[in-house]
Amino acid sequence: MVKEARNVTADHLVKVGQDQGLGPVVDLLRSTDEKVQAAAAGALWSLSVTTENKSKIVERGGLPLLIRMLRSQSIACQEQAGGCLYSLSVLAENKINIVQEGGLSPLVSLLRSGSGSVAKQAVGCLRNLAVNALNKNKIVAENAIPAIVELLSDDDIKTQELAASALRNLAMSEDISAQIISADALGPLIVLLQSHERRVVDQAAQCVRNIVQVPDNCDAVVAEGAVQPLVSLLRFRDEKIQEHATAIVQVLSSINAENKNLIVDEGGLTPLISLLRSTNKKVQEEATYALRNLSSNSDNQVKIVTRGGLPPLVGLLHSTNPKLQEAATVTVRNISMNPENEVRIVQEGGLPPLIALLRASDSKIQSSAAIAIRNLSVNSSNQIKIAQEGGIPPLVSLLRSFDPKMQEHAVTALRYLAENADNQVNIVQDGGLPPIIGLLRSSDHRVQAQSSGALRNLAVNVENKVRIAQEGAIQPLVSLLCFSNDEVDEQSAGALWNLAMN
């Protein structure tokens, strides 16, 4: 039994707890003397560093007593009880117990305490409680968000960190993230992205990352000026913060053209390209996804190449990570749409991996590679190199795909390749004629037009004229002359004209 005395100290009670167990110290929380209560709560706070003691304090009936102390007029009682609850709330079961014992309301009230230390313990405890999905809406129902937002601007670094972390946990709920924005949290969160304290930046970035998972929130994030500090964080010397920043930039870049332009205008391209070589896989993935999004803009397609983006992107075409490989292939596909890049992609070694990906088991990767090869095959020097690198056989194989889009990409590539005299022979030798002729009967007018165009080019070769006729192409070409599509009419008539020039 511990003798109650006004001069009892927390240090003394810690020793009591270690020697006699936690029960006697918990009993002192019932003291009518607030100094004794505060000392007991402080001792339990110190003793709660172990998981075992966190459970024992609750088992000994400490929770309701500590929660009652939160309503005390004594700042010391509020601080020590809040600190102890902050420590206890680390355990999953205590996250539920504290709420069931009525701890939310007094904790939320203490967020606006005149004591910074009290508010810090309260927001720390709420941060932990908000990890539990069932607690999130209950915390919001207590109107905690506005008070937490106010603490983002507190002078104390730790309080800023805990407030941002609490909002981070709450923002994992779609509905709550909108309420966080409505409480004007974005402004102070973006200020914290520019903090000199790594832990504060980390929590603020995670919070914003959760918020932008809801597309409707992204406009507000951009409007508050988040892009510039986020671009700066792409260069931050901490991989976790880089990951959050690249993830946010990636999401924002997927929303609209205005965001793409803003990210580039704020200098985002160069650090994103650098992060393609990151050894952190998540950072590398997010940077690749962001560049994939940005590369849909024609101006960016040139800028990515001129700023050194092609070598790392070509390297990622060889990646064993399917997500990375797909994103890199899509990016190269987009870049290849710009005529200025057609030669550069080949010069940087892009052809071999793209041709290899024509045989990929992933249809998205295969399709993007086929489109890239189609775009590159417009260039006359590339037409020779694609054939030299073995590109014709896999393109011929894709003509037999069940996907009309894939058929279109492959036959269009072969149509362009057939502008080259040597390729006119190679395509026929590699078995291209039967499937090209078969596509004349496709129900897709774009496939019909491209296959007619391919035959038109192939028929320039004298020996091919006979082969094309022998394979039965004339009848379906004649049938297409009556088609209601101008492009189909033009290409089929051109093919028949070239065949007749024998």
Side-chain angles (χ1 to χ4, degrees):
M1 187 76 177
V2 180
K3 183 178 179 181
E4 185 175 319
R6 291 184 60 86
N7 62 354
V8 68
T9 65
D11 289 341
H12 169 70
L13 293 178
V14 167
K15 190 172 187 311
V16 171
Q18 292 169 338
D19 294 342
Q20 301 179 30
L22 296 175
V25 184
V26 170
D27 288 340
L28 289 179
L29 297 175
R30 295 183 173 88
S31 171
T32 57
D33 189 318
E34 290 181 334
K35 290 184 178 180
V36 174
Q37 290 179 11
L44 292 173
W45 184 0
S46 298
L47 292 165
S48 67
V49 293
T50 69
T51 300
E52 181 182 5
N53 283 350
K54 283 180 172 67
S55 297
K56 285 184 176 179
I57 290 169
V58 176
E59 292 169 3
R60 300 293 190 274
L63 266 189
L65 300 173
L66 289 165
I67 291 169
R68 184 184 67 181
M69 288 177 63
L70 296 177
R71 295 187 170 89
S72 169
Q73 297 302 306
S74 164
I75 296 297
C77 283
Q78 294 172 354
E79 179 183 357
Q80 300 304 318
C84 188
L85 288 168
Y86 175 15
S87 177
L88 297 179
S89 63
V90 170
L91 289 189
E93 58 269 28
N94 287 346
K95 290 176 172 62
I96 298 170
N97 294 332
I98 291 170
V99 174
Q100 288 179 338
E101 290 287 349
L104 273 185
S105 180
L107 282 167
V108 172
S109 296
L110 293 180
L111 293 174
R112 288 194 166 100
S113 168
S115 164
S117 181
V118 170
K120 176 163 55 179
Q121 308 314 323
V123 75
C125 187
L126 288 168
R127 186 275 302 267
N128 291 346
L129 297 180
V131 172
N132 182 285
L134 298 176
N135 289 343
K136 296 183 194 295
N137 286 326
K138 294 176 182 178
I139 292 170
V140 174
E142 292 287 346
N143 199 31
I145 290 177
I148 296 174
V149 169
E150 290 176 14
L151 292 176
L152 293 173
S153 303
D154 195 87
D155 292 335
D156 183 74
I157 297 299
K158 185 63 178 180
T159 301
Q160 293 174 356
E161 177 194 345
L162 292 172
S165 184
L167 291 175
R168 174 204 73 188
N169 291 340
L170 291 172
M172 294 177 73
S173 164
E174 183 172 328
D175 293 337
I176 296 175
S177 67
Q179 295 183 57
I180 290 172
I181 293 175
S182 297
D184 296 326
L186 286 178
L189 280 170
I190 291 167
V191 169
L192 295 184
L193 291 178
Q194 301 162 80
S195 170
H196 297 297
E197 291 291 331
R198 187 201 65 79
R199 295 174 303 173
V200 172
V201 175
D202 181 43
Q203 295 304 319
Q206 286 189 64
C207 185
V208 175
R209 183 177 182 179
N210 288 344
I211 287 171
V212 299
Q213 298 311 305
V214 181
D216 290 345
N217 294 340
C218 291
D219 286 347
V221 172
V222 173
E224 284 288 346
V227 173
Q228 189 277 324
L230 286 169
V231 167
S232 296
L233 291 181
L234 296 176
R235 297 183 174 91
F236 204 90
R237 293 185 177 182
D238 182 289
E239 289 185 349
K240 289 300 295 182
I241 291 173
Q242 280 185 339
E243 179 191 335
H244 303 320
T246 51
I248 299 167
V249 169
Q250 185 274 126
V251 172
L252 296 180
S253 69
S254 71
I255 299 299
N256 55 46
E258 290 77 12
N259 288 355
K260 291 178 175 65
N261 293 333
L262 183 57
I263 291 166
V264 174
D265 290 344
E266 292 288 355
L269 264 187
T270 300
L272 284 170
I273 289 170
S274 296
L275 293 176
L276 293 177
R277 294 186 169 94
S278 173
T279 55
N280 182 301
K281 294 303 179 185
K282 290 183 179 179
V283 172
Q284 191 180 44
E285 283 182 11
E286 296 293 353
T288 309
Y289 300 155
L291 285 170
R292 173 198 63 193
N293 298 340
L294 295 175
S295 67
S296 64
N297 176 289
S298 58
D299 290 337
N300 292 343
Q301 290 162 3
V302 175
K303 290 176 181 176
I304 289 171
V305 174
T306 58
R307 296 183 190 183
L310 266 181
L313 284 168
V314 169
L316 291 176
L317 295 177
H318 299 277
S319 174
T320 55
N321 180 331
K323 291 182 179 179
L324 265 179
Q325 193 177 55
E326 179 189 344
T329 309
V330 172
T331 307
V332 173
R333 176 201 74 187
N334 291 346
I335 289 172
S336 72
M337 295 173 69
N338 194 300
E340 295 182 42
N341 296 332
E342 290 168 359
V343 175
R344 289 290 299 276
I345 291 171
V346 176
Q347 289 175 338
E348 294 291 352
L351 266 185
L354 285 171
I355 291 171
L357 292 176
L358 293 175
R359 294 186 170 93
S361 58
D362 186 304
S363 61
K364 292 181 180 178
I365 293 175
Q366 193 179 47
S367 175
S368 293
I371 294 171
I373 294 293
R374 178 200 70 187
N375 295 340
L376 296 177
S377 67
V378 174
N379 181 281
S380 58
S381 63
N382 288 348
Q383 291 165 0
I384 298 170
K385 292 174 182 176
I386 290 170
Q388 290 174 339
E389 292 288 347
I392 291 176
L395 287 170
V396 170
S397 295
L398 291 178
L399 297 175
R400 296 184 173 87
S401 168
F402 293 108
D403 180 3
K405 283 288 186 185
M406 192 75 79
Q407 293 172 345
E408 180 191 351
H409 303 324
V411 76
T412 303
L414 290 169
R415 171 190 171 181
Y416 289 131
L417 292 176
E419 293 174 357
N420 177 276
D422 290 336
N423 289 345
Q424 291 164 5
V425 175
N426 294 331
I427 291 170
V428 173
Q429 288 180 342
D430 286 329
L433 267 186
I436 291 174
I437 293 170
L439 292 180
L440 295 174
R441 296 183 171 85
S442 169
S443 59
D444 189 312
H445 68 85
R446 289 166 298 191
V447 174
Q448 291 174 330
Q450 296 302 329
S451 56
S452 298
L455 289 172
R456 180 180 185 175
N457 291 341
L458 291 172
V460 172
N461 179 282
V462 175
E463 294 182 6
N464 286 351
K465 297 179 194 288
V466 178
R467 293 284 300 275
I468 291 170
Q470 289 175 341
E471 291 287 348
I474 293 177
Q475 188 275 324
L477 283 169
V478 171
S479 298
L480 290 178
L481 291 174
C482 303
F483 203 77
S484 59
N485 183 275
D486 291 342
E487 177 68 10
V488 174
D489 289 345
E490 178 185 346
Q491 296 304 327
S492 57
L496 288 167
W497 173 266
N498 286 345
L499 288 170
M501 299 295 290
N502 188 350

